[in-house]
Amino acid sequence: MLVNKKLILAHFWLAFAVFGIALTLGAWQMFIRSPIGTWLSNPELYYRSLTAHGTVMGYVFPTLVAMGFGYAISEAALQQRLVGVRWAWAGFWLIVAGSIMAVIPIALGRASVLYTFYPPLIGNVFYYLGVVLVVVGSWIWVALMSVNLRVWRKAHPGAPVPLAMFANVAGSYLWAWTAVGAALELLLQIIPVAAGLKNTIDAGLARVFFSWTLHAIVYFWLMPTYIAYYTIVPRAIGGRIYSDSMARISFILFLVVAMPIGMHHTFADPQVGAGFKFIHSAFTALVALPTLLTVFTICASVEIAARLRGGRGMFGWIRALPWDNPMMLALAFSFVMLGFGGAGGLINMSYQLDASIHNTQWITGHFHLIFGGAIVIMYFAIAFDLWPHLTGRELIDVRLIRTQLWLWFIGMIVTTFPWHWVGILGMPRRMAYFDFGDPAIAPQALSVTLSAIGGFILLASGIMFIVILARGMRAPQVDAGPYRFALAVHQPATVPVALNTHALWVALMIGLTLTNYGYPILNLALSSGTSVPAVYVGAQ
Amino acid sequence: MSTRDLFTFRNGHFRIGVGITAAILIVTAIVGFIVLPFAQPWVQFADVWDAICSAAGVPQRAASVTAPEQAKRLSEVVLTSNTLARPSQEAIGRGATLAQRCAICHGPTGVSRADSPNLAGQYAAVIYKQLHDFRSGARTNAVMSPFAVNLTDQEIADLSNYYAYLPRLPAYHPTPQLPKPNIVIYGAPMRGIAPCGACHGSLDNKTGSPWLEGQSEAYMKAQLHAFASGERRNDISQQMRNIARAMTPQDIDAAAAYYASQPPDVVKAVD
């Protein structure tokens, strides 16, 4: 039951429009710092573009997808009209206003601080206020998801919450809490300086606040993808979810252990004690657990589909899968990229191994493979799956969809594998320019060129994606029927209260945040003499 | 089952969830705060508490050693990128009058014929800092110090604003344009030298750093040698001294010759 289709479509269209722009910037960046581009001789332009790319891809695009998908889940899984539609529109317009407010200073070169802010670098205050508006808009969505679930619970006391909604609300709570870190950094540290009230900043404390957000935000990005794995893919390929409980446990594990691990981003920072770095490293290792559970459950679910289609043998069933189905294709690509990206992540989270790749191009390669690859390809799949239900029109050209997914997969591999490689060779990240004529880095020219070509393949795929959706708006009308989510092999009749509510796991998430972040933050906040002069972007 | 039954040890999920989380936290804390610190034989701890504090990142108080008396004065100028922002026309006018006494070395248009720095179009913050340092004695020069010693804060600000206001003109000692030397563009990473151009123009500019294009080659060489020998010491946190000490004489020659041969950058509108 999808009622507020316009609301959901508005979120998706805005998300994919800004994605298209940021993708173009990304491809240009790959090109301009590769040996095939001619250097513009102005690094500021590069950082300007990089800030826009990161801000859109990190804050605006995935948040809008999660919100639009969340509203769709709330209506379709709970079978009830969205409560608080006006609030939802208010949230949407806040994001529009925030994005415009943030993009103007970026375009003027007044906020080339990259999306991770990098204090003591300070840009124009409107950039940060714009980001705050985007976050506030998304918090409205968090509240609405919670309210809608509560309304449903009242009408269905004791009934198991549909898996898609359970996971969706878990994702929204994770986002609500993880965004607090960046919000504290912005409100307490950066905005007072950007507004001219102070001219020094505690950069170390600001970085710790940001690490609070920086890792769990990835799991917020991941949530729609995992929801699609569990609740869309098995239905789309004619199978069933292998275990509903396993799915719930994965999502609550994400709630608990995605949060208190962000300090693996500050392994090289002197202001954090080594003991806390170790604890965060150990908890980061735990976050592999829900992913491994998911890979197991989804592979089992897919096997069920294959065997229902007549697949036989230990591995022979793989051939029986519906490989011409875009959802199957997207899942397979996503898993391959998740596998490689996850393996790379194990290196990043290790205190010792991190030292060899910290701040190198390996890191950028890693998060593009995980986010741009494994996660975003499922955003595409979600859009393809929902589109006929939102527009009432069929996406006819399945071949084009398959080509688009193939190109995205190939493009991402071609982009990120050489990117990882030059990182191992020591090429630093966040550099606007490399002189490949220098014998010291000349051997890396080939890898960087390949990466740039991959960037153009991705751009081509991104354009195809938008064309497919746009053509879908004009296709012949069709009745897509009610939107359904996948069913489990054993649909639960009752679910233990711990797996049907989020309170316990939210409490553990907050508790672990206090144990793992409390002392480092207090220590830095209460120490005097830890501030440094702000460096204003564009000032001489 | 209501939420009241959730947060109780009778609930198995609560027991297991909280129990496992707490157990992992305790084990990792013991390993991170006690086992691993003592596993480093090269670090000595007084006791377990000392090791825990160290691993937690408690700021360590250095033994109470009084800072050695500075034989020479250090620069006390604080610069932010808002220093001297938006000067008034009157301030520039007052500066122009005061600048007449500077013209004998720095030139009537702020471009020197005497191997003194060209000041026309130099950043206001740069002139401001150097004049303050000459006045306080943090930087000394037989010719310059007597001029600076009687300047008031207002006069220093006005002079800085006046010279920053002047257009950048080509210097009187142009030589054929040289290719960018490595020291300017890449620095020398193996010796910890950042590229000159990262602060002084050609690549980027940082608050408090002068732009150098068209400055006197002899002057720039002399300053780099003065930084290297410690004779000049008004740079913040030894930034320039550390760089100059690590530069070879060839680096110094190349950087000075390159910057001297460059025409001044087109003045960027900075407000």
Side-chain angles (χ1 to χ4, degrees), chain A residues 43 199 273-276 278-279 282-283 286 435 496-499 501 503-505 507-508 512 515-516 519 523 527 536 539-540, chain B residues 1-2 6-7 13-14 17-18 21 24-25 28-29 31-33 36 55-59 80-81 123 186 203 205 207 268 270:
Chain A
N199 52 23
F276 283 102
F278 175 77
I279 292 185
F283 274 89
L286 285 178
D435 178 7
V497 66
L499 298 185
T501 59
L504 173 60
W505 315 109
L508 278 177
L512 279 177
T515 57
N516 289 11
Y519 179 77
N523 180 27
S527 307
Y536 296 89
Q540 296 282 5
Chain B
M1 221 149 90
S2 75
L6 179 61
F7 288 93
H13 286 101
F14 180 81
V18 176
T21 310
I24 292 172
L25 185 65
T28 52
V31 174
F33 288 101
L36 288 180
V58 179
T80 71
S81 39
Y123 300 117
Y186 309 114
L203 296 174
N205 204 282
T207 301
K268 289 182 209 139
V270 177

Side-chain angles (χ1 to χ4, degrees), chain A residues 52-343:
Chain A
H53 176 81
T55 305
V56 168
M57 293 300 206
Y59 301 132
V60 184
F61 165 58
T63 309
L64 282 168
V65 169
M67 289 168 73
F69 190 37
Y71 293 133
I73 290 171
S74 179
E75 292 203 327
L78 299 182
Q79 298 288 319
Q80 72 177 24
R81 290 177 76 99
L82 187 71
V83 178
V85 178
R86 280 194 191 165
W87 281 101
W89 278 110
F92 174 78
W93 287 111
L94 268 180
I95 292 190
V96 172
S99 307
I100 293 172
M101 194 192 264
V103 159
I104 291 174
I106 297 176
L108 293 174
R110 295 308 175 98
S112 306
V113 295
L114 313 198
Y115 89 107
T116 36
F117 306 146
Y118 292 113
L121 220 50
I122 295 290
N124 185 287
V125 67
F126 287 102
Y127 168 67
Y128 305 109
L129 292 176
V131 173
V132 169
L133 283 191
V134 170
V135 173
V136 171
S138 70
W139 279 347
I140 293 180
W141 166 76
V142 173
L144 284 179
M145 290 301 96
S146 181
V147 167
N148 276 280
L149 181 58
R150 188 159 299 197
V151 169
W152 183 87
R153 270 194 218 278
K154 248 188 203 147
H156 305 81
V161 176
L163 175 62
M165 190 60 181
F166 181 80
N168 179 35
V169 174
S172 77
Y173 289 159
L174 179 64
W175 170 239
W177 183 243
T178 190
V180 169
L184 288 174
E185 183 196 12
L186 285 172
L187 299 177
L188 300 179
Q189 300 268 310
I190 291 181
I191 289 179
V193 183
L197 305 174
K198 282 168 62 181
N199 52 23
T200 60
I201 185 166
D202 191 337
L205 178 58
R207 289 174 63 92
V208 171
F209 275 137
F210 197 76
S211 80
W212 167 331
T213 295
L214 190 54
H215 204 71
I217 198 175
V218 180
Y219 291 95
F220 165 64
W221 298 338
L222 199 75
M223 280 293 180
T225 293
Y226 272 50
I227 296 173
Y229 285 166
Y230 280 108
T231 67
I232 298 181
V233 171
R235 184 260 295 146
I237 62 169
R240 289 206 160 207
I241 308 172
Y242 176 70
S243 163
D244 179 84
S245 314
M246 197 89 101
R248 284 170 200 265
I249 289 171
S250 299
F251 286 109
I252 59 182
L253 277 176
F254 274 128
L255 256 187
V256 178
V257 291
M259 220 352 270
I261 63 177
M263 277 185 195
H264 68 249
H265 292 250
T266 61
F267 277 160
D269 282 31
Q271 80 277 18
V272 181
F276 283 102
K277 287 175 180 167
F278 175 77
I279 292 185
H280 281 245
S281 176
F283 274 89
T284 317
L286 285 178
V287 96
L289 211 60
T291 292
L292 292 176
L293 278 180
T294 300
V295 170
F296 174 81
T297 312
I298 299 304
C299 286
S301 310
V302 167
E303 186 179 343
I304 291 172
R307 295 207 186 274
L308 286 174
R309 294 167 62 92
R312 293 270 173 279
M314 182 92 113
F315 294 107
W317 55 269
I318 294 173
R319 271 211 314 267
L321 284 167
W323 287 108
D324 52 349
N325 184 330
M327 192 58 77
M328 187 65 232
L329 216 50
L331 174 77
F333 292 154
S334 181
F335 267 24
V336 171
M337 294 190 277
L338 187 69
F340 282 111

Side-chain angles (χ1 to χ4, degrees), chain B residues 54-69:
Chain B
S54 162
V58 179
Q60 302 280 321
R61 294 229 170 277
S64 57
V65 186
T66 46
E69 279 292 314

Side-chain angles (χ1 to χ4, degrees), chain B residues 132-257:
Chain B
H132 269 283
D133 286 347
F134 276 123
R135 188 178 68 175
S136 72
R139 185 177 174 189
T140 52
N141 176 283
V143 181
M144 194 60 212
S145 296
F147 278 95
V149 77
N150 291 322
L151 291 175
T152 65
D153 286 353
Q154 183 66 54
E155 287 169 337
I156 288 179
D158 292 344
L159 275 167
S160 310
N161 284 326
Y162 167 67
Y163 277 118
Y165 162 83
L166 289 182
R168 293 180 188 178
L169 297 172
Y172 280 81
H173 31 74
T175 42
Q177 294 232 347
L178 299 171
K180 292 180 179 177
N182 280 346
I183 191 78
V184 171
I185 298 303
Y186 309 114
M190 301 303 286
R191 284 178 279 142
I193 304 178
C196 310
C199 296
H200 291 288
S202 290
L203 296 174
D204 199 0
N205 204 282
K206 301 282 154 52
T207 301
S209 315
W211 58 269
L212 299 178
E213 286 88 349
Q215 299 289 2
S216 147
E217 185 176 348
Y219 174 76
M220 284 187 285
K221 263 200 240 182
Q223 294 309 309
L224 281 170
H225 285 297
F227 276 126
S229 68
E231 184 192 330
R232 181 175 168 186
R233 45 202 303 147
N234 70 325
D235 51 330
I236 298 163
S237 308
Q238 301 212 22
Q239 280 174 329
M240 270 318 296
R241 273 174 282 175
N242 282 331
I243 288 171
R245 276 195 285 265
M247 287 172 84
T248 61
Q250 292 79 8
D251 287 338
I252 290 180
D253 290 350

Side-chain angles (χ1 to χ4, degrees), chain A residues 33-34 361 427-429 431-437 441, chain B residues 186:
Chain A
R33 65 170 175 72
S34 77
Q361 300 276 4
M427 183 180 263
R429 66 187 281 207
M431 300 294 274
Y433 171 68
F434 296 95
D435 178 7
F436 293 97
I441 59 167
Chain B
Y186 309 114

Side-chain angles (χ1 to χ4, degrees), chain A residues 413-436:
Chain A
I413 298 289
V414 173
T415 306
T416 56
F417 278 36
W419 215 345
H420 279 80
W421 170 243
V422 293
I424 297 175
L425 297 181
M427 183 180 263
R429 66 187 281 207
R430 302 187 199 108
M431 300 294 274
Y433 171 68
F434 296 95
D435 178 7
F436 293 97

